[in-house]
Amino acid sequence: MITKKLQDAINEQINAELWSAYLYLSMSMDAEAKGLKGVANWMYVQWLEEQDHARILSEYLNSQNAHVQLKPIAKVQTMWKDIDEMFRDTLRHEQEVTKSIHELTILAWHEKDLPTISRLQWFIDEQVEEENSAQDIIDDIEQVGSDGIGLYLLDTQLAERSYHKADALQ
Ligand code: FEO
């Protein structure tokens, strides 16, 4: 049986994942407004993936006979100066999420909750990917710039990203 303290912490993480989803939807809408369809697509996929993260944690709490408690989602920024600022914010945000996943896992260790530790391993691995993909795009922006033909090429590349439903049991 999962402890109340851990349940509460996972419910906080569900809220953080939904806030992440909302943040990326906001970035996607801003990119659309700027005419950057590829960036908008990349952020839209991100919005879908963050909802998967919230779903996986919710399903886990349900499987443990615990109560999922959805909380209000705080407001998000709605405009960014350019894609350099947008992707640097993305990386910074993912680093914060990594920190909270690690803290959650450490709490699960303190609670000696092996099933929760096992489930959180998927999120630890996912965060390595999340940070890497944001960093890769920042590296690309440093190479090609965030305007003109460089921006056009990068936007074309980001249009290729597609969504695949995440499953923590795979
Ligand atoms: Fe759910 Fe991007 O971390």
Side-chain angles (χ1 to χ4, degrees), residues 29 70 104:
M29 295 302 115
L70 299 179
L104 196 51

Side-chain angles (χ1 to χ4, degrees), residues 26-164:
S26 183
M27 288 181 175
S28 179
M29 295 302 115
D30 188 38
E32 281 283 353
K34 289 175 165 62
L36 299 168
K37 293 222 169 295
V39 177
N41 170 67
W42 197 94
M43 290 298 177
Y44 197 85
V45 171
Q46 200 70 9
W47 130 265
L48 296 173
E49 287 194 354
E50 297 300 347
Q51 291 175 77
D52 281 344
H53 300 170
R55 172 182 52 78
I56 290 165
L57 289 172
S58 303
E59 287 173 355
Y60 178 67
L61 279 187
N62 287 334
S63 76
Q64 296 293 301
N65 226 8
H67 189 194
V68 175
Q69 291 173 299
L70 299 179
K71 299 168 193 302
I73 299 170
K75 72 175 183 181
V76 291
Q77 187 173 331
T78 54
M79 285 179 79
W80 283 261
K81 183 162 67 76
D82 55 21
I83 67 160
D84 187 49
E85 186 180 80
M86 196 180 271
F87 280 98
R88 285 183 196 279
D89 278 359
T90 297
L91 178 60
R92 249 193 310 274
H93 175 62
E94 290 302 332
Q95 287 166 337
E96 287 301 314
V97 176
T98 299
K99 219 186 298 174
S100 68
I101 291 289
H102 290 184
E103 282 165 6
L104 196 51
T105 310
I106 291 163
L107 176 61
W109 275 107
H110 282 305
E111 303 287 308
K112 299 186 174 62
D113 188 326
L114 299 183
T116 301
I117 294 164
S118 171
R119 183 54 50 95
L120 290 173
Q121 185 60 51
W122 183 88
F123 284 88
I124 292 170
D125 297 341
E126 174 72 7
Q127 282 311 120
V128 173
E129 269 187 52
E130 291 274 69
E131 287 190 29
N132 272 338
S133 54
Q135 184 63 63
D136 283 350
I137 296 168
I138 291 168
D139 292 345
D140 287 346
I141 293 169
E142 282 173 2
Q143 293 290 324
V144 301
S146 57
D147 56 13
I149 188 74
L151 176 59
Y152 172 77
L153 292 173
L154 195 53
D155 193 54
T156 304
Q157 181 190 312
L158 297 178
E160 286 169 18
R161 185 183 192 193
S162 58
Y163 167 67
H164 305 281

